[in-house]
Amino acid sequence: RALFITTAAAVAVAESAESISNKKCGIKWVNDVFVEDKKLCGILTEASVDLETQTLSHAILGIGLNVYEPKGGFPEEIKSIACALFSYQRSGLKAQLAAEIIKRFFTLYDGMENQGVPDFVAEYKKRSILNGRPIKVLRGGTETNAVALEIDDECRLKVKLYTGETINLFPGDVSI
């Protein structure tokens, strides 16, 4: 169930950013939040597993969120793919946003303890920006063309490879 930590964080960030900015946020599986086809946020989860019990020992969650545009705008090489919530500085906004994300994340996290599908998974699926889109699956140093079909209840991405094979991906990279 460790994958749910990252997906819960993505939902928490998307909902929090929307509540503060009124910008519609989508999620690119598994760990990126987008606004209007531009990346707003990246999430990285590192975890340690106890080898004796095969259970999650601890997890570290990192969230990189572009709250403000850099002075002078984004560098040329990323300005077509990156965005920020605001183009201007607002006093107290970062603290307000951080508090909102933490509050929402822990509400979602507390709901992960049951054995069923966590409630937030439906919201995660609804926010997917990949469904029906052609993508490249990056695995083992190779790229494979595919079409993203849907996200399943375990938050795996179901894709149809151009060979016709349908597979479920575990966390890894896909590019649009």
Side-chain angles (χ1 to χ4, degrees), residues 73-84:
F74 285 100
E76 194 63 39
E77 60 271 11
I78 64 169
K79 72 194 265 182
S80 66
I81 59 171
C83 69

Side-chain angles (χ1 to χ4, degrees), residues 91-159:
S91 178
L93 182 66
K94 286 182 180 180
Q96 179 187 359
L97 184 57
E100 188 67 23
I101 292 168
I102 291 167
K103 180 180 86 174
R104 287 178 190 258
F105 173 77
F106 279 107
T107 298
L108 300 175
Y109 181 81
D110 289 343
M112 290 191 303
E113 290 301 316
N114 62 20
Q115 293 301 311
V117 177
D119 293 339
F120 71 85
V121 171
E123 184 65 22
Y124 184 84
K125 290 177 178 187
K126 184 176 92 175
R127 289 180 179 275
S128 175
I129 65 168
L130 294 181
N131 295 354
R133 290 178 82 165
I135 60 169
K136 291 192 183 299
V137 177
L138 312 171
R139 298 187 304 174
T142 63
E143 284 187 5
T144 305
N145 291 324
V147 174
L149 299 176
E150 65 182 349
I151 296 182
D152 71 11
D153 287 345
E154 296 297 315
C155 292
R156 296 173 299 191
L157 181 63
K158 183 178 182 180
V159 301

